[in-house]
Amino acid sequence: MNIFKWIIILAGLGFLGWKALVFLLPSDEMRIRKKLSRLESLVSYTPNTAPLVHLAAAGGILEMFTQNAELNIQTDSSTWNIHGRNEIKTSVLSSRQQERGGMQVSITDPVFNFDKAGSISTLATITAKWESNPDPMVRILEFRWVKGERNQWLISAIKTRRDLEWGNKL
């Protein structure tokens, strides 16, 4: 009877050790999911947000990108081709200045593709809702991730995937 007690205790300790290991050393997918969640919170803002908060959010957004990141995002009314962190910062601040009513962004359904070259591609559904416009914008974006300094995943490119729109056949 005493041996069963020790087996149960060792099994419990093994399970707790495994959970601690997963928590302390998350997989690349978990790291990127956390980064997407952080990006979602930094891009979203409420009406009448203070200018310093916009500036801090822009700085947080910049930390998630490589120096030479490229964004190619298409909306119904425009196309954004942005190259480098400086242009990203300028675009973020100017768009927040133009749309003061607030915006809520959600990033859902990420699908990960681990490349052999050490980069990761993520397809995700992005929904943006503006206070001034009741119609949400929904797009499928592809994020390219590369390992940067301190072993962190950084976004090297974002582009709209028109070939994966709901009206297109696969």
Side-chain angles (χ1 to χ4, degrees):
M1 187 71 171
N2 207 8
I3 192 138
F4 291 119
K5 181 180 175 183
W6 282 108
I7 290 173
I8 291 173
I9 289 173
L10 287 176
L13 288 175
F15 178 75
L16 288 175
W18 176 72
K19 282 295 194 183
L21 185 65
V22 169
F23 179 74
L24 294 174
L25 300 172
S27 67
D28 290 336
E29 182 177 332
M30 290 302 295
R31 289 180 185 177
I32 291 176
R33 283 182 187 273
K34 286 181 183 179
K35 290 228 176 225
L36 287 172
S37 178
R38 183 163 191 268
L39 181 64
E40 180 180 272
S41 67
L42 288 170
V43 172
S44 300
Y45 61 98
T46 58
N48 302 321
T49 301
L52 286 177
V53 174
H54 287 302
L55 191 58
I61 292 169
L62 288 183
E63 291 175 0
M64 303 186 78
F65 288 89
T66 60
Q67 284 286 11
N68 55 353
E70 295 185 19
L71 281 70
N72 183 351
I73 301 172
Q74 299 171 353
T75 65
D76 293 335
S77 59
S78 63
T79 298
W80 297 351
N81 290 313
I82 303 168
H83 303 281
R85 281 184 171 174
N86 290 333
E87 282 189 36
I88 293 170
K89 182 177 182 179
T90 303
S91 298
V92 167
L93 292 174
S94 66
S95 66
R96 286 177 175 234
Q97 197 66 345
Q98 291 173 0
E99 186 60 51
R100 294 178 184 248
M103 177 175 71
Q104 295 300 316
V105 173
S106 64
I107 302 174
T108 57
D109 308 322
V111 177
F112 297 90
N113 181 21
F114 296 87
D115 298 336
K116 291 182 181 178
S119 65
I120 296 176
S121 172
T122 305
L123 293 175
T125 303
I126 312 299
T127 305
K129 296 177 186 173
W130 290 267
E131 296 289 328
S132 62
N133 184 356
D135 298 328
M137 181 192 74
V138 179
R139 291 287 180 270
I140 297 174
L141 297 183
E142 179 179 2
F143 295 80
R144 285 254 171 225
W145 301 84
V146 295
K147 278 219 175 156
E149 313 153 352
R150 294 174 282 150
N151 210 22
Q152 290 184 340
W153 286 101
L154 299 174
I155 301 170
S156 65
I158 299 176
K159 69 177 181 177
T160 303
R161 290 290 302 264
R162 289 276 190 199
D163 58 327
L164 297 176
E165 296 286 329
W166 291 275
N168 296 341
K169 295 182 178 179
L170 295 177

